[in-house]
Amino acid sequence: MMSWPLDSTPFLWGVATSSHQVEGNNHNDWTQWEEQGHVPEKSGRACLHYEKYPEDLNLFAELGINAYRYSIEWSRIEPEPGYFDQNALNHYRAMTEAVIRHQMEPMVTLHHFTLPLWFANQGGFFHPEAPQLFARYVKQVVSALGDLVRFYITINEPMVYAVMGYGNGQWPPGHKNLKEVWQIGPRLLACHNAAYHQIKQQRPDAMVGLAHHLLAFEPYNSRSRLDRYNARLLHSLFNGRFIQWTKHTADFIGINYYTRQYARFRQFLTPVPHKPDQVLTDMGWEIYPEGLEKLLVAMKRYDKPLIITENGIATNDDQLRQQFLKDHIAAVGRAQNQGAIVRGYFYWAGLDNFEWAEGYRPRFGLIHVDYATQQRTLKDSALLYRRIISANQGRWPISVPPEPEPPVSDL
Ligand code: FCB
């Protein structure tokens, strides 16, 4: 088992965001997609996090978190091929310094779904020189931030990116071509590998990985052998493929976990998202904490530290969010008890934000954002998260503390 080189690093309790979803006023392939009318709302000003990050970090600090995962917007760093914008690099350096001043470990994502227009217009990751171009951008980022940042995610959710952009065409570039879904995989892998080696060259002790979207695939009919077979197939294709491929170029496994899907043999590669009569989130996703436990335990076979790089719920019912948080953190603790080396948990998202093809309707945040006034308000779930974090200092496995006793006068 690869040792955790940062033994002095405590369990990472964090929140996550991504540049396009919170920054506002971006100019990339996603804004182009929005302008072309493919989605109900444009990202526009988003949360204005690009300028309001000092306020947001103050609010995050109130949660007691010790880590923040955010992404660097490639289109800001390299708006034209080979031209690197020093102001943008300075911005991310200042923001990273502020993260550290708040005693949070920065975890930097280098690609979270968006691309500079020039790169997207030349085929994106199908560009024949994509690995070199991606590594050239990464080099600039690590030159600017490398002394401050130890944790890097090269690519967020390669399988989701492949399916949404090239399979069902709901995201840019909007292709619907099963062959491309397969072909983009090795391209993304080559870009990851190039970035991995680039980062290691500049900072050998960096911890580099990907964030994988893992779905808990289960047979629609557990008595059907064919459904069970299909669940295993989907698990290995969707969940296992990239993890297997990056065995030698990943220092940890980043896991984004949200839900379960049901495998039906007769639907082969298209799982059923949920069964009738289930309680669903505002994304239409089933709430299934046991899936996180099972997946974490299943990941033990890869012998790498695990970090939950995203887990969260879209809902306006904050009670439901609180229950979600407790149930999923309890699931992580159970997995740790069964030997899963889980080193961190990042709630998605620190604040409400732009949810891609769904626009602003789904609210994932621990912090409410009024998009008209840009006013932020801590939700009760944020206070619960703070209580969970403070009760878990130095604890392994992590757990959910009991409800505080009501004051005697209330009895
Ligand atoms: C994940 C994405 C993230 C966010 C959540 C809800 O797939 O990584 O950007 O949209 O889903």
Side-chain angles (χ1 to χ4, degrees):
M1 161 104 193
M2 183 193 157
S3 68
W4 181 249
L6 307 167
D7 273 335
S8 56
T9 305
F11 187 88
L12 299 172
W13 286 102
V15 294
T17 62
S18 89
S19 53
H20 188 68
Q21 295 177 274
V22 296
E23 283 183 346
N25 304 315
N26 270 316
H27 187 59
N28 54 32
D29 62 337
W30 253 93
T31 40
Q32 176 175 272
W33 185 249
E34 295 159 22
E35 276 150 23
Q36 290 167 348
H38 295 289
V39 290
E41 286 174 279
K42 295 183 187 166
S43 55
R45 302 190 316 154
C47 312
L48 287 180
H49 186 65
Y50 198 78
E51 49 209 77
K52 282 180 159 292
Y53 76 82
E55 178 185 341
D56 291 338
L57 290 175
N58 282 338
L59 289 169
F60 292 167
E62 287 190 35
L63 309 183
I65 58 175
N66 63 3
Y68 178 34
R69 173 178 175 224
Y70 52 100
S71 76
I72 307 291
E73 181 59 37
W74 183 1
S75 62
R76 289 187 187 266
I77 303 289
E78 193 180 2
E80 301 296 336
Y83 166 71
F84 295 95
D85 185 335
Q86 198 53 49
N87 288 333
L89 289 164
N90 292 347
H91 163 86
Y92 288 112
R93 178 153 185 106
M95 175 163 149
T96 303
E97 284 170 349
V99 169
I100 290 169
R101 269 201 307 280
H102 281 292
Q103 281 150 33
M104 295 170 196
E105 179 89 45
M107 179 180 282
V108 161
T109 309
L110 294 158
H111 174 256
H112 198 124
F113 299 154
T114 53
L115 295 176
L117 272 172
W118 61 266
F119 184 73
N121 291 341
Q122 291 175 53
F125 288 107
F126 279 116
H127 190 300
E129 283 164 34
Q132 294 87 321
L133 294 169
F134 188 55
R136 186 175 73 175
Y137 146 70
V138 169
K139 182 178 180 186
Q140 295 288 328
V141 174
V142 182
S143 304
L145 308 180
D147 56 325
L148 305 177
V149 178
R150 301 190 284 179
F151 286 88
Y152 293 90
I153 306 270
T154 55
I155 296 179
N156 182 65
E157 300 189 343
M159 286 303 291
V160 171
Y161 184 76
V163 170
M164 300 301 280
Y166 296 90
N168 63 30
Q170 289 179 23
W171 292 2
H175 297 185
K176 294 183 187 173
N177 183 338
L178 193 58
K179 217 166 109 191
E180 288 183 10
V181 176
W182 294 114
Q183 289 170 341
I184 195 81
R187 309 299 178 106
L188 292 169
L189 174 67
C191 291
H192 162 78
N193 284 340
Y196 179 88
H197 293 300
Q198 181 61 48
I199 299 166
K200 291 288 183 170
Q201 196 184 322
Q202 291 170 269
R203 178 146 187 183
D205 69 338
M207 296 291 287
V208 186
L210 295 100
H212 304 272
H213 188 109
L214 299 191
L215 285 162
F217 291 109
E218 293 190 5
Y220 192 88
N221 173 358
S222 55
R223 286 192 310 254
S224 152
R225 188 162 2 138
L226 291 175
D227 285 6
R228 290 201 304 268
Y229 165 78
N230 198 21
R232 282 200 303 276
L233 180 71
L234 282 166
H235 175 72
S236 76
L237 288 179
F238 188 89
N239 294 337
R241 195 163 171 248
F242 264 88
I243 297 179
Q244 193 68 37
W245 279 352
T246 55
K247 252 193 341 225
H248 302 295
T249 51
D251 303 316
F252 62 90
I253 300 176
I255 295 169
N256 296 355
Y257 175 76
Y258 290 92
T259 191
R260 152 162 73 180
Q261 293 199 349
Y262 297 92
R264 262 187 142 167
F265 189 70
R266 58 179 139 107
Q267 296 191 199
F268 193 44
L269 291 178
T270 336
V272 182
H274 57 83
K275 291 190 173 180
D277 304 326
Q278 285 175 330
V279 177
L280 302 179
T281 72
D282 288 353
M283 292 294 282
W285 296 343
E286 183 197 350
I287 302 171
Y288 185 54
E290 294 76 16
L292 179 56
E293 174 185 353
K294 290 184 198 172
L295 283 164
L296 290 170
V297 172
M299 293 298 123
K300 276 166 57 178
R301 62 187 285 228
Y302 296 107
D303 239 11
K304 289 198 196 277
L306 308 171
I307 300 179
I308 297 151
T309 36
E310 287 181 29
N311 174 236
I313 178 173
T315 180
N316 286 321
D317 175 352
D318 200 57
Q319 290 287 335
L320 193 60
R321 188 183 331 276
Q322 290 173 50
Q323 198 57 49
F324 181 99
L325 204 49
K326 288 193 231 169
D327 292 347
H328 284 76
I329 287 169
V332 176
R334 290 197 301 274
Q336 286 176 321
N337 247 334
Q338 293 161 72
I341 308 297
V342 186
R343 294 287 190 170
Y345 175 91
F346 290 72
Y347 180 81
W348 179 274
L351 65 170
D352 292 337
N353 63 77
F354 177 72
E355 178 51 35
W356 309 112
E358 280 77 17
Y360 286 103
R361 183 187 49 83
R363 288 183 176 270
F364 277 93
L366 291 174
I367 296 170
H368 179 271
V369 177
D370 177 331
Y371 295 111
T373 61
Q374 287 295 335
Q375 172 97 32
R376 276 83 161 129
T377 316
L378 292 190
K379 299 180 190 178
D380 286 345
S381 47
L383 306 180
L384 169 67
Y385 196 35
R386 175 166 74 193
R387 197 162 67 75
I388 293 176
I389 294 172
S390 94
N392 274 291
Q393 296 306 306
R395 283 187 166 228
W396 188 285
I398 60 169
S399 62
V400 176
E403 295 295 325
E405 297 284 328
V408 180
S409 58
D410 286 5
L411 291 175

